[in-house]
Amino acid sequence: MEKEDGSRTLSNARVNNILWPLISIMIVAAEEFKFDYPFSRYRALKEQKADSSPMTLQEVKRFLDYV
């Protein structure tokens, strides 16, 4: 599902955070009650790396001087 601007309503990280506890419960139930595990081939969705831009050494020095 997408928003009007074309962006997704749920990120891959959010989907993974919702699904993994449910999948864990299904694994335990499948082992205990001896049925075929339906998500055996499920893999987590790939998450985008955060775009980080750490401070330069000059910026760190300026910050520490100010603080």
Side-chain angles (χ1 to χ4, degrees):
M1 186 173 203
E2 294 183 352
K3 296 180 186 176
E4 291 178 8
D5 65 359
S7 63
R8 293 182 54 188
T9 55
L10 291 176
S11 67
N12 287 355
R14 179 70 175 145
V15 172
N16 288 337
N17 287 338
I18 292 170
L19 284 181
W20 278 112
L22 297 174
I23 289 171
S24 298
I25 292 168
M26 289 295 295
I27 290 171
V28 171
E31 289 175 359
E32 186 172 337
F33 295 106
K34 306 207 183 335
F35 63 86
D36 291 332
Y37 172 59
F39 297 108
S40 61
R41 294 181 359 168
Y42 177 79
R43 300 289 179 255
L45 299 175
K46 293 188 185 230
E47 298 177 24
Q48 292 179 338
K49 302 284 183 185
D51 185 24
S52 65
S53 54
M55 294 190 295
T56 64
L57 184 57
Q58 185 179 28
E59 291 171 331
V60 171
K61 287 179 181 178
R62 193 175 339 141
F63 171 77
L64 291 175
D65 288 340
Y66 185 78
V67 174

